[in-house]
Amino acid sequence: MYMICGISLNKRLTLRRGVYKSYEISVAYYAFAMEANEAKIEESVVPVTNTIRALEKEIADPIVYQLVRVDGDGRLVPATQDEIMVVEDFLEDDKCEPKHVPDTRHTSESVKTEGYLLERNPFQVPEGKLESENPEVGAEKSNVLVDPVPDLGKIEAPEKVAVHGLAPCSEVRNIDLSVRNEVGSNPQDALNEDAPSTSATGSSLKPDFSKLEGKICLDNLTVKELQGTFKAAFGRETYVKDKQWLKRRITMGLTNSCDFSCTTFIIRDNVVVKKGEEQICHRVKSRISADSEDGVANPDSGGSLGDHDNIINDDADFSGPDVSSSAFESCKVTKDLYTEQRTAKRARKPTKRYIEELSEIESRESSEKLSSPDKISRYRFACPETHMRPTKNVRSTARPLVTRQDSLGGSGVQIPFVSRIRRSRPRENFMPLLKLQPCGMDMSTRQVSSAFDVSGRQEDDKRNNDLINTSSSPGWTQQPLIAACEEDDHYSGMKIAELENDIELNDCTEDNSDDNVVTVPTQKGGMRRKHHRPWTINEVVKLVEGVARYGAGRWSEIKRLAFASCSYRTSVDLKDKWRNLLKASFVQLPAEKGILNSRKQASVPIPAPILSRVRELADMQAKITSSYDDICIMHKTQTQAIRQQEPTSYTSSNPPPRRTTVVHLLSSSRSPESRLSCEIN
DNA sequence: TTTAGGG
DNA sequence: CCCTAAA
């Protein structure tokens, strides 16, 4: 996986690795200087380092930082709001508490790029023009962000726009520094242009895009005009006289302003145009290289749809320096389905856990309030245009696949809506459950699980048959369980086939109700595991059976074959559970009557029959791994034990051997008993 | 990547 | 359950 990287600009944005890991976000985070041509990254531990370092040489004086995630291929993806919230806790430097931009209204609904983690650098105030623009940065940020989003319906996403601030990326890419120098090439112009600042006529603090009429070519505007445009865009005055800065701020601001994105304007090559005219403008400029004077990147070609692909390409091809621009793209997630689908294929694949947890949130949310759009929309990330829509992808099984739209990594991604399998308290009444099992369990849960089980039933069935077949042979696989079950009246009438059948059928999808997922509260001050999922009896039985069939130690086998549908149980989990089971079974030996788990009733009490079985398996395996002679002996004791329904009795002070490595002869489908007979005789 | 074992 | 060493 990826290392968490200590990012340090001038402030230390160091992420603590340990905590991070427990969140299981398979990404690293990067604080990246994104303002202007200045960026300075003191340390980084990520593949992107090289490119970053290259940048570093050319760049100085970070001003605004954005939180970015380092993707697997080195791409830097702007963090989603959620990620930021997570990472916030990891920031070690309290002084650089991520300023959460004031967002007075519908909080996270319209997340904007600039809202991520923008930090001004208070220490490196540049000289000259930058000095005057610094105040603007902060003010503008808040202004833009506070602006309400006019609901103008969907429009096409703005094209990729690179503004001055983003210039270094493309420039570094092309190793054309001369071009870049042009950015600050005209300090005279910036400082001396005597454009009287527009009088501060009661700024509305709201952008008025209506003032942006027709096509505006920022390059042609005077400082004064630029200031006017600035006001139109941001709803406030500016006194900055630096043309470049103005242009940059305007384009940047507009590009990332969801307000603006809802207008009919788009920005291209420093030209604000109306939607319709954009095509023309676009065509005309389509041959311009990625590095115009202003570092305008890649006007590319191919119409609106193609643009998105190209954008993605850019990001993928040139991850490092392109951070800024790709960061800015986070907000302009594609908006219509088709574009989404095109983009999705290039988008970062969300992690399983991400999918699960998001799904869970949404399922909980939507079950709480049925189809409450407002609620749901709170979980759209990055852009208000992102949709959570149940799409029915008709599959061969005709089972509806619910997907949702997500903007993970800044691009629209279709994420399957998986049902989060229960991560919750165990059932307090497991016995009824066990009793019900042969009768077919509760149909409701089964239906629920099957409704979401996209992984496909057919596989389950196949596996099921397989397991049934392998276990149908009259072997020890069944007998101990039967024996054990007969100990208990509940099991008396139960046919083993039924039990196993049921076990397999139920899988782990049996449970999926409430969720204690990330719950960590604890009275004793201690924190419970963040991702704790109690083992159900079913799972335990499956595990036991798995060990019986494949042998202890072959956890990955068991996981693959018996826990295929339980994505949350890793082979390590199985091993751990088995270890616990062993412990439990031996500890419980002395007073093993019924199911008296006197203490620690907190977790699911393991039924005595199962524990017996565990013990037995352990015993057996231990013996099997001994030696040939031992096998002979074991064979006796084993059969004997089975006949007696009670294997060798060990005490906690006299535990049985616990070798868990298993001779391969156990893993065959044949009954180990008969097999042993063959081997021995 | 899987397994074993400690925490 | 998490982490890591070792294979």
Side-chain angles (χ1 to χ4, degrees):
Chain A
M1 277 301 134
Y2 314 125
M3 297 280 295
I4 203 66
C5 44
I7 309 299
S8 140
L9 305 168
N10 284 314
K11 315 174 153 214
R12 278 179 55 234
L13 301 180
T14 309
L15 306 178
R16 290 192 296 273
R17 183 164 177 274
V19 184
Y20 161 83
K21 271 198 92 173
S22 73
Y23 275 82
E24 291 187 21
I25 300 171
S26 311
V27 290
Y29 290 91
Y30 236 113
F32 189 79
M34 56 175 271
E35 169 75 1
N37 313 318
E38 305 88 13
K40 184 178 165 191
I41 291 165
E42 288 174 6
E43 50 180 86
S44 45
V45 205
V46 166
V48 208
T49 310
N50 290 337
T51 43
I52 295 291
R53 290 222 187 276
L55 251 178
E56 185 180 347
K57 293 203 177 100
E58 334 260 355
I59 298 171
D61 304 337
I63 298 178
V64 181
Y65 309 145
Q66 180 174 15
L67 188 65
V68 220
R69 184 166 22 77
V70 181
D71 199 1
D73 50 0
R75 241 179 352 147
L76 298 188
V77 186
T80 68
Q81 186 70 23
D82 271 15
E83 286 170 339
I84 287 161
M85 289 170 60
V86 168
V87 178
E88 265 179 14
D89 301 334
F90 302 158
L91 299 181
E92 277 183 346
D93 190 348
D94 35 345
K95 281 187 298 186
C96 71
E97 222 37 279
K99 249 183 237 162
H100 249 227
V101 193
D103 196 345
T104 52
R105 15 137 226 160
H106 28 237
T107 20
S108 48
E109 177 172 308
S110 56
V111 179
K112 298 177 177 74
T113 310
E114 291 176 332
Y116 285 143
L117 186 119
L118 299 174
E119 266 298 316
R120 275 188 56 210
N121 174 4
F123 302 114
Q124 297 210 1
V125 177
E127 311 169 325
K129 60 181 176 111
L130 285 181
E131 204 159 32
S132 65
E133 78 184 42
N134 272 338
E136 300 288 342
V137 177
E140 173 193 318
K141 264 192 311 192
S142 17
N143 280 342
V144 170
L145 290 169
V146 170
D147 292 332
V149 178
D151 186 12
L152 299 183
K154 291 184 179 184
I155 61 164
E156 184 181 337
E159 303 298 340
K160 175 178 185 173
V161 177
V163 278
H164 276 325
L166 316 177
C169 306
S170 45
E171 282 159 9
V172 170
R173 179 196 320 184
N174 293 282
I175 317 172
D176 185 359
L177 300 180
S178 60
V179 173
R180 184 172 150 276
N181 288 336
E182 278 202 66
V183 171
S185 63
N186 212 346
Q188 303 290 344
D189 178 55
L191 295 176
N192 297 339
E193 186 138 11
D194 56 346
S197 306
T198 331
S199 57
T201 53
S203 341
S204 60
L205 286 188
K206 289 192 175 186
D208 184 1
F209 297 119
S210 65
K211 290 174 188 166
L212 298 174
E213 284 177 0
K215 173 172 155 187
I216 301 172
C217 184
L218 295 180
D219 288 326
N220 297 337
L221 296 184
T222 67
V223 168
K224 194 172 179 178
E225 289 166 326
L226 283 174
Q227 287 176 338
T229 308
F230 185 95
K231 183 180 178 184
F234 300 117
R236 63 184 178 81
E237 303 290 343
T238 183
Y239 300 93
V240 175
K241 297 166 187 169
D242 182 350
K243 267 189 177 179
Q244 300 299 332
W245 184 86
L246 284 169
K247 282 191 284 189
R248 182 174 57 208
R249 296 313 295 184
I250 291 169
T251 44
M252 197 186 306
L254 292 185
T255 304
N256 295 286
S257 161
C258 290
D259 310 44
F260 179 77
S261 66
C262 293
T263 66
T264 54
F265 291 101
I266 69 162
I267 303 180
R268 176 174 293 282
D269 301 345
N270 262 1
V271 178
V272 179
V273 292
K274 286 217 172 198
K275 292 289 297 225
E277 303 170 19
E278 183 269 337
Q279 300 295 342
I280 304 160
C281 174
H282 175 50
R283 225 166 279 132
V284 170
K285 301 213 171 194
S286 62
R287 296 192 60 240
I288 299 179
S289 74
D291 295 308
S292 74
E293 167 198 330
D294 291 330
V296 172
N298 192 15
D300 64 61
S301 56
S304 47
L305 288 187
D307 287 341
H308 296 295
D309 278 344
N310 283 337
I311 288 167
I312 301 296
N313 268 325
D314 282 350
D315 290 345
D317 294 344
F318 209 78
S319 46
D322 208 17
V323 188
S324 313
S325 26
S326 65
F328 276 116
E329 288 163 15
S330 69
C331 196
K332 67 174 187 48
V333 186
T334 46
K335 292 173 189 96
D336 64 303
L337 182 59
Y338 300 106
T339 5
E340 277 166 6
Q341 283 172 345
R342 282 166 140 270
T343 321
K345 71 182 175 202
R346 292 293 204 125
R348 184 172 71 91
K349 187 187 170 200
T351 64
K352 195 187 298 175
R353 170 155 245 128
Y354 180 87
I355 295 174
E356 280 184 0
E357 299 197 337
L358 191 60
S359 298
E360 183 188 18
I361 289 173
E362 288 174 354
S363 63
R364 179 172 52 217
E365 200 70 23
S366 52
S367 59
E368 264 176 20
K369 293 209 163 185
L370 207 83
S371 74
S372 167
D374 287 348
K375 278 277 191 173
I376 293 175
S377 67
R378 276 174 37 197
Y379 294 95
R380 305 193 211 131
F381 297 156
C383 219
E385 291 82 5
T386 321
H387 302 299
M388 140 67 165
R389 84 167 71 80
T391 306
K392 293 196 165 60
N393 296 349
V394 181
R395 293 204 154 198
S396 55
T397 58
R399 187 176 296 119
L401 168 62
V402 182
T403 62
R404 68 168 169 282
Q405 181 58 206
D406 189 16
S407 65
L408 190 84
S411 4
V413 188
Q414 285 286 335
I415 297 183
F417 190 100
V418 302
S419 83
R420 166 57 136 238
I421 315 168
R422 171 212 270 185
R423 243 180 213 183
S424 62
R425 258 177 270 78
R427 285 193 165 81
E428 45 271 47
N429 49 347
F430 67 95
M431 281 319 288
L433 191 77
L434 279 178
K435 275 188 277 189
L436 280 179
Q437 274 181 353
C439 313
M441 246 211 34
D442 45 6
M443 294 314 271
S444 59
T445 49
R446 191 174 294 198
Q447 279 175 352
V448 169
S449 60
S450 73
F452 285 103
D453 184 10
V454 186
S455 64
R457 267 295 150 188
Q458 60 275 39
E459 196 206 21
D460 283 357
D461 293 340
K462 180 178 138 254
R463 189 180 68 248
N464 192 27
N465 288 335
D466 186 43
L467 290 176
I468 289 176
N469 289 338
T470 54
S471 59
S472 61
S473 62
W476 63 284
T477 310
Q478 304 165 4
Q479 196 162 8
L481 220 170
I482 292 178
C485 290
E486 284 171 352
E487 256 185 355
D488 196 323
D489 281 341
H490 300 304
Y491 293 93
S492 49
M494 186 190 294
K495 294 286 183 293
I496 188 65
E498 281 177 341
L499 179 66
E500 286 204 348
N501 192 354
D502 189 65
I503 287 168
E504 303 301 336
L505 281 176
N506 282 325
D507 267 344
C508 304
T509 56
E510 138 248 356
D511 48 2
N512 55 353
S513 40
D514 52 339
D515 42 77
N516 268 3
V517 199
V518 194
T519 178
V520 201
T522 260
Q523 316 88 319
K524 303 182 297 181
M527 296 290 250
R528 213 182 64 169
R529 277 275 180 273
K530 266 204 153 51
H531 306 296
H532 177 61
R533 182 183 224 133
W535 278 72
T536 66
I537 298 295
N538 254 331
E539 286 173 320
V540 170
V541 172
K542 260 199 309 185
L543 173 62
V544 171
E545 292 305 302
V547 170
R549 279 191 205 113
Y550 310 108
R554 317 185 58 127
W555 306 118
S556 52
E557 292 258 300
I558 299 174
K559 152 81 174 139
R560 191 168 59 246
L561 296 167
F563 285 80
S565 59
C566 302
S567 58
Y568 48 89
R569 300 288 184 211
T570 68
S571 54
V572 175
D573 292 331
L574 303 188
K575 178 216 59 175
D576 286 339
K577 185 56 182 176
W578 180 252
R579 186 168 52 176
N580 289 338
L581 285 175
L582 283 178
K583 213 187 309 176
S585 65
F586 291 128
V587 158
Q588 215 198 18
L589 243 196
E592 110 176 82
K593 288 298 175 194
I595 313 135
L596 40 94
N597 280 29
S598 49
R599 62 175 181 86
K600 80 168 189 172
Q601 196 75 342
S603 58
V604 199
I606 307 295
I610 299 181
L611 288 181
S612 302
R613 182 75 196 286
V614 169
R615 208 159 43 243
E616 182 182 328
L617 287 173
D619 177 30
M620 204 185 93
Q621 306 221 335
K623 304 221 159 179
I624 288 175
T625 48
S626 303
S627 65
Y628 188 83
D629 287 338
D630 286 346
I631 290 179
C632 297
I633 296 169
M634 181 215 60
H635 183 228
K636 274 188 226 159
T637 59
Q638 190 71 42
T639 48
Q640 197 177 358
I642 290 174
R643 205 170 295 123
Q644 292 173 354
Q645 298 180 7
E646 190 50 57
T648 34
S649 39
Y650 293 98
T651 63
S652 45
S653 57
N654 178 29
R658 273 190 49 185
R659 296 243 6 199
T660 46
T661 328
V662 134
V663 174
H664 196 278
L665 58 89
L666 256 195
S667 62
S668 129
S669 61
R670 300 183 57 177
S671 147
E673 201 177 42
S674 60
R675 165 168 295 269
L676 281 177
S677 303
C678 295
E679 303 274 338
I680 294 169
N681 303 329

